[in-house]
Amino acid sequence: EEPWNTLHGPLLTQEPSDSIFPLSTDDKQVFINCKAKGNPPPHYRWKMDGGEINTQSDPNYSLVEGNLLINNPHVIDHGGVYQCIATNTFGTVVSREAKVQFAFLQNFGRKSRNTVSVREGQAVVLLCGPPPHYGEIKYSWVFNGQRSFLQQDARRFISQMTGNLYIAKVEASDAGNYTCAVRNMMTNATVFSSPTPVVVRRDAVMGEYEPKIEVQFPDTLRVSKGSSVKLECFALGNPVPSISWRRADGNPLPGKIKINHFSGVLEIPYFRPEDAGVYECVAANSRGRNVARGQLVFHNAEHLHWVQTLKDAHMAIDANLQWECKAMGKPRPTYKWLKNGQPLTGRIHVEAGRLTISRISVLDSGMYQCVAESEHGAVYASAELKVVGKQFARPKATVIRRGGEVVLECRPHASPRATVSWWRGVLIFSPRQTILQDGTLRITNVSASDGGRYTCLARNHFGTSSSSGTLLVKEPTKILVPPLSLDATVGQSIVLPCEVSSDSSLIPIFKWFFNGKAIDFSRREHFEMIGGGFAGDLMVRNIQLKHSGKYVCMVHTEVDTVSAAADLIVRGPPGAPEGLAVSDITDTAVRLSWGSGPDNHSPVTMYMVQARTPISIGWQTVRTVPDSVPGQMMHATVKDLNPWVDYEFRVVAINGVGVGEPGTPSKPVRTAAAVPKVAPVHVSGGGGARGELVITWEPVPEEQQSGEDFGYVVAFRPLGSSTWIQTVLASADASRYIYRNDSVAPLSQFEVKVGVYNSVGEGPFSPVVTLFSAEEEPTEAPSRVWARAVSASEIEVYWEPIPSESGSGKIIAYEEGSEQSEAERVRVIDTTALLSGLKGSTVYLISVRAQNSAGLGPCSPAFNNTTKKPPPSQPPGNIEWNLTNSKIFLNWEHVKALENESEVTGYKVVYRQNWHSRTTVLETNKTSLELQIPSGEDYLIEIKALTGGGDGTSSGPIRIPKMSSNSFENLIMSLTVNFFFLLFSF
């Protein structure tokens, strides 16, 4: 802030900078900054790609002070070169040009990808072909839709330059679908390609051949000082080639380099001149070797910067002016000059960074800019030329804190130059008060007594002029309660205090900074400023790990700025352990080793190991040696595993705060095979046909089979015999064996056991159980069989059960046949059966026989039975109804049966409320009926004839409407509906 309120041209204090904005954020607005000071305050315009932006009529643009706000930015329409222009009555300045781009990522096309067919042992390259994008992207691949990305190894490589996936030597397990995933590192958006199917042909296996380097870095690469460079190198070959790196001049590789785990990428951080040279990547296998080389050239591009800029000039008419600006940079810059934002024209002489104006006139007043340009950009220096006769700067009140230093300007714009003196009632002279060469008054270590009115007097041979202003002295601001450094745990809420004492006439303004950036309280996610007046405490709610860092409370007043800082450490559950490796695999144990993840400011106290198999329910904690893995130990042996099972492992870290995120699971590993240890359970049996011994058991689960070629050994012997008969079943799914021998007597007792084996050896047998062989089928037919026709479609059959001693075991069912053109059979457990679905007036031949587990016995003698005549097909007709109070009176015409139909014995009336209520059934032998019903509901009624052959055809639903004032309308409607239903039912 200028202490004396001088009128001057615009001066840019904040200029737009090159920016890349992510376009997938929720913010539909983008700010480009521009700020200038001037008196009077400047107004602003913007250009984009050289054209004026009309912020009044274009809805996508608006001005916020000098800043340009882009609403709903679009990648193509709003990316470009922006320039800010600030103007007041003294002239115009233009900002540097800023390139604005938008990070975006479009979707892959929907087109399906061709199948890639490759022989085992051959190499394959799968192309990603990323969609249109801008901003840094990262490539990954997904195999067969798995949740985790494909891990690179010595055989598989993903280039971050092309996005392609390279497989040096294809194995049978590589067959499947491959999907390229592209992630924009700025917008965090990820898109997936269509899958590329890979088929591994088995018709021939590729022979061995020497390495072929498929991915390599450029022949020459210019690297600028301090940057990081990554070189990619990957070779195809059979056997899989190894990759190593070296320098062509024999010098060792720099100690700071990073080589990724499988050597496909070499990274040189902080590039220096001594890192330049020829680098070689060597790919070797048993068939030969190949070398890729490239030269890294140190590119010493020096940042463009000013070494001499311009100063404002206040010049008398007819004086001469020379300005010079100098910039440094590699390559050397060129210069151009602007006046009020436009290229210079007319009599002003320009030579590179030097500008000369001879015999200045009032028209030369304005804002001048020197622009230095190179291929790395441009820098702008600005100054104002004021052409004056005799003029005075008008001082106003100046506010200063006690103990500070103040400068009161007195620059009379006079030609010839004026002499200056300062007065405060009397001529000023004090050791703390100094008048500088340009007439400015400086007062150091200001005290309260220095406050008051000051007058500056200027004199030349044209005359004398004076100007006065007031100096106000305020008490300095002090932080009484500063924030203190502290520790917090994730999820807590904490308060960092900041309380000040200040001059009572000043209003302190509190600002908080986190890791150097001002906290935006409008977002109100975690931060809130609480208190008021002389307190501006910071509350951090639901604190997260990302909130660790330095917090600064800064307090501004009109006269001073004070600040205090504190460090906040946030402790949380540990991060995921990294780099899990599996080794020393036996049949029941494996050794795991891993690297520690971040401890999040609370040391890891222990690790927990978890495993899962293809058939386990989720992740299970497994037993380890040691039992409890301490936090400083990065390895453990997992024990008590099942042999010949695919396991995935993962490690979880625990600290004082809680249980951390699990690490990335290992690839599935199979434990070694062993002799099976588990025998089948639930061995039982019995039943079957005559002469059979049926043996059953529950199969051993896959995870307990312990090896390949799993099967069962079934052993049995007659009770009392000493010799076992053994049979081998070479199927892991087998659960039943039937021994057939006609000489085995019914219900003979056998001792039975079932054992297991696999390719490693034989396992245990189950405990011995005693089973019976099959019984014999019944020898007698049921007696006293009789039957009666129930209706036109049903006959009921009865019989006496056969005596239990006549069959060899328990009767499990009876079967009866009703014979007509061909036998129909019904099985029942009881001694009665209902034959249904029969035809009316038809003769049926009926017989019954018993059945047990061994089979069917003989049939009883067959006899005849005839079904009844069918009921009438004509429904009750001419139905009339009357409705009074809560009674319905129904009348209908008697149904006459035809000669081949059963006689009508009565009628069945079925009624219900609405469509959903419970049904009520009434029977009558008359052709009328009186129904007692509650009023106020609709009723649906059906009438059927009753006969010995069953129910006759229904009248169809008749709707009786609820009582209303307009009964005639209801009657008409019900008759119409009835007619419709009658039509419908014919």
Side-chain angles (χ1 to χ4, degrees), residues 412-423:
H413 299 147
S415 180
R417 192 171 162 186
T419 57
V420 173
S421 57
W422 282 88
W423 299 74

PDB file of all heavy atoms in Angstrom, residues 412-423:
ATOM      1  N   PRO A 412       7.406  16.678  -5.238  1.00  0.00           N
ATOM      2  CA  PRO A 412       6.770  17.666  -6.097  1.00  0.00           C
ATOM      3  C   PRO A 412       7.244  17.466  -7.525  1.00  0.00           C
ATOM      4  O   PRO A 412       8.444  17.343  -7.770  1.00  0.00           O
ATOM      5  CB  PRO A 412       7.243  19.001  -5.519  1.00  0.00           C
ATOM      6  CG  PRO A 412       8.493  18.675  -4.780  1.00  0.00           C
ATOM      7  CD  PRO A 412       8.374  17.272  -4.293  1.00  0.00           C
ATOM      8  N   HIS A 413       6.338  17.302  -8.439  1.00  0.00           N
ATOM      9  CA  HIS A 413       6.708  17.114  -9.847  1.00  0.00           C
ATOM     10  C   HIS A 413       6.946  18.508 -10.428  1.00  0.00           C
ATOM     11  O   HIS A 413       6.012  19.133 -10.937  1.00  0.00           O
ATOM     12  CB  HIS A 413       5.618  16.357 -10.594  1.00  0.00           C
ATOM     13  CG  HIS A 413       5.404  14.998 -10.006  1.00  0.00           C
ATOM     14  ND1 HIS A 413       4.186  14.383  -9.986  1.00  0.00           N
ATOM     15  CD2 HIS A 413       6.260  14.163  -9.364  1.00  0.00           C
ATOM     16  CE1 HIS A 413       4.286  13.222  -9.384  1.00  0.00           C
ATOM     17  NE2 HIS A 413       5.545  13.071  -8.982  1.00  0.00           N
ATOM     18  N   ALA A 414       8.181  19.017 -10.269  1.00  0.00           N
ATOM     19  CA  ALA A 414       8.495  20.401 -10.623  1.00  0.00           C
ATOM     20  C   ALA A 414       9.654  20.442 -11.591  1.00  0.00           C
ATOM     21  O   ALA A 414      10.558  19.612 -11.536  1.00  0.00           O
ATOM     22  CB  ALA A 414       8.848  21.187  -9.364  1.00  0.00           C
ATOM     23  N   SER A 415       9.603  21.379 -12.491  1.00  0.00           N
ATOM     24  CA  SER A 415      10.715  21.575 -13.413  1.00  0.00           C
ATOM     25  C   SER A 415      10.992  23.080 -13.474  1.00  0.00           C
ATOM     26  O   SER A 415      10.086  23.864 -13.810  1.00  0.00           O
ATOM     27  CB  SER A 415      10.338  21.031 -14.799  1.00  0.00           C
ATOM     28  OG  SER A 415      11.384  21.216 -15.702  1.00  0.00           O
ATOM     29  N   PRO A 416      12.177  23.560 -13.137  1.00  0.00           N
ATOM     30  CA  PRO A 416      13.323  22.778 -12.639  1.00  0.00           C
ATOM     31  C   PRO A 416      13.055  22.226 -11.234  1.00  0.00           C
ATOM     32  O   PRO A 416      12.088  22.612 -10.607  1.00  0.00           O
ATOM     33  CB  PRO A 416      14.467  23.800 -12.641  1.00  0.00           C
ATOM     34  CG  PRO A 416      13.782  25.126 -12.516  1.00  0.00           C
ATOM     35  CD  PRO A 416      12.464  24.996 -13.199  1.00  0.00           C
ATOM     36  N   ARG A 417      13.929  21.327 -10.793  1.00  0.00           N
ATOM     37  CA  ARG A 417      13.778  20.581  -9.550  1.00  0.00           C
ATOM     38  C   ARG A 417      13.629  21.507  -8.344  1.00  0.00           C
ATOM     39  O   ARG A 417      14.315  22.524  -8.257  1.00  0.00           O
ATOM     40  CB  ARG A 417      14.994  19.683  -9.378  1.00  0.00           C
ATOM     41  CG  ARG A 417      14.821  18.674  -8.285  1.00  0.00           C
ATOM     42  CD  ARG A 417      15.963  17.701  -8.340  1.00  0.00           C
ATOM     43  NE  ARG A 417      16.042  17.012  -7.062  1.00  0.00           N
ATOM     44  CZ  ARG A 417      16.976  16.189  -6.731  1.00  0.00           C
ATOM     45  NH1 ARG A 417      17.953  15.957  -7.589  1.00  0.00           N
ATOM     46  NH2 ARG A 417      16.983  15.581  -5.582  1.00  0.00           N
ATOM     47  N   ALA A 418      12.717  21.128  -7.419  1.00  0.00           N
ATOM     48  CA  ALA A 418      12.450  21.948  -6.241  1.00  0.00           C
ATOM     49  C   ALA A 418      13.292  21.492  -5.057  1.00  0.00           C
ATOM     50  O   ALA A 418      13.685  20.330  -4.976  1.00  0.00           O
ATOM     51  CB  ALA A 418      10.974  21.862  -5.885  1.00  0.00           C
ATOM     52  N   THR A 419      13.547  22.418  -4.094  1.00  0.00           N
ATOM     53  CA  THR A 419      14.163  22.039  -2.801  1.00  0.00           C
ATOM     54  C   THR A 419      13.027  21.816  -1.823  1.00  0.00           C
ATOM     55  O   THR A 419      11.977  22.467  -1.901  1.00  0.00           O
ATOM     56  CB  THR A 419      15.102  23.135  -2.276  1.00  0.00           C
ATOM     57  OG1 THR A 419      14.346  24.342  -2.167  1.00  0.00           O
ATOM     58  CG2 THR A 419      16.281  23.329  -3.219  1.00  0.00           C
ATOM     59  N   VAL A 420      13.218  20.843  -0.881  1.00  0.00           N
ATOM     60  CA  VAL A 420      12.138  20.376  -0.012  1.00  0.00           C
ATOM     61  C   VAL A 420      12.515  20.588   1.450  1.00  0.00           C
ATOM     62  O   VAL A 420      13.655  20.318   1.843  1.00  0.00           O
ATOM     63  CB  VAL A 420      11.839  18.892  -0.278  1.00  0.00           C
ATOM     64  CG1 VAL A 420      10.847  18.347   0.743  1.00  0.00           C
ATOM     65  CG2 VAL A 420      11.284  18.717  -1.677  1.00  0.00           C
ATOM     66  N   SER A 421      11.556  21.036   2.272  1.00  0.00           N
ATOM     67  CA  SER A 421      11.733  21.068   3.737  1.00  0.00           C
ATOM     68  C   SER A 421      10.454  20.548   4.385  1.00  0.00           C
ATOM     69  O   SER A 421       9.385  20.589   3.777  1.00  0.00           O
ATOM     70  CB  SER A 421      12.042  22.490   4.216  1.00  0.00           C
ATOM     71  OG  SER A 421      10.989  23.366   3.806  1.00  0.00           O
ATOM     72  N   TRP A 422      10.559  20.001   5.627  1.00  0.00           N
ATOM     73  CA  TRP A 422       9.414  19.420   6.336  1.00  0.00           C
ATOM     74  C   TRP A 422       9.177  20.200   7.626  1.00  0.00           C
ATOM     75  O   TRP A 422      10.119  20.565   8.331  1.00  0.00           O
ATOM     76  CB  TRP A 422       9.678  17.946   6.668  1.00  0.00           C
ATOM     77  CG  TRP A 422       9.487  17.029   5.504  1.00  0.00           C
ATOM     78  CD1 TRP A 422      10.400  16.690   4.595  1.00  0.00           C
ATOM     79  CD2 TRP A 422       8.295  16.349   5.166  1.00  0.00           C
ATOM     80  NE1 TRP A 422       9.891  15.832   3.670  1.00  0.00           N
ATOM     81  CE2 TRP A 422       8.569  15.600   4.003  1.00  0.00           C
ATOM     82  CE3 TRP A 422       7.003  16.297   5.708  1.00  0.00           C
ATOM     83  CZ2 TRP A 422       7.622  14.813   3.381  1.00  0.00           C
ATOM     84  CZ3 TRP A 422       6.072  15.502   5.098  1.00  0.00           C
ATOM     85  CH2 TRP A 422       6.368  14.769   3.929  1.00  0.00           C
ATOM     86  N   TRP A 423       7.905  20.418   7.959  1.00  0.00           N
ATOM     87  CA  TRP A 423       7.526  21.187   9.146  1.00  0.00           C
ATOM     88  C   TRP A 423       6.478  20.416   9.946  1.00  0.00           C
ATOM     89  O   TRP A 423       5.656  19.717   9.400  1.00  0.00           O
ATOM     90  CB  TRP A 423       6.932  22.541   8.721  1.00  0.00           C
ATOM     91  CG  TRP A 423       7.905  23.392   7.956  1.00  0.00           C
ATOM     92  CD1 TRP A 423       8.330  23.240   6.694  1.00  0.00           C
ATOM     93  CD2 TRP A 423       8.574  24.534   8.475  1.00  0.00           C
ATOM     94  NE1 TRP A 423       9.236  24.192   6.346  1.00  0.00           N
ATOM     95  CE2 TRP A 423       9.404  25.037   7.443  1.00  0.00           C
ATOM     96  CE3 TRP A 423       8.569  25.227   9.719  1.00  0.00           C
ATOM     97  CZ2 TRP A 423      10.214  26.155   7.600  1.00  0.00           C
ATOM     98  CZ3 TRP A 423       9.360  26.356   9.859  1.00  0.00           C
ATOM     99  CH2 TRP A 423      10.186  26.809   8.811  1.00  0.00           C
TER     100      TRP A 423
END
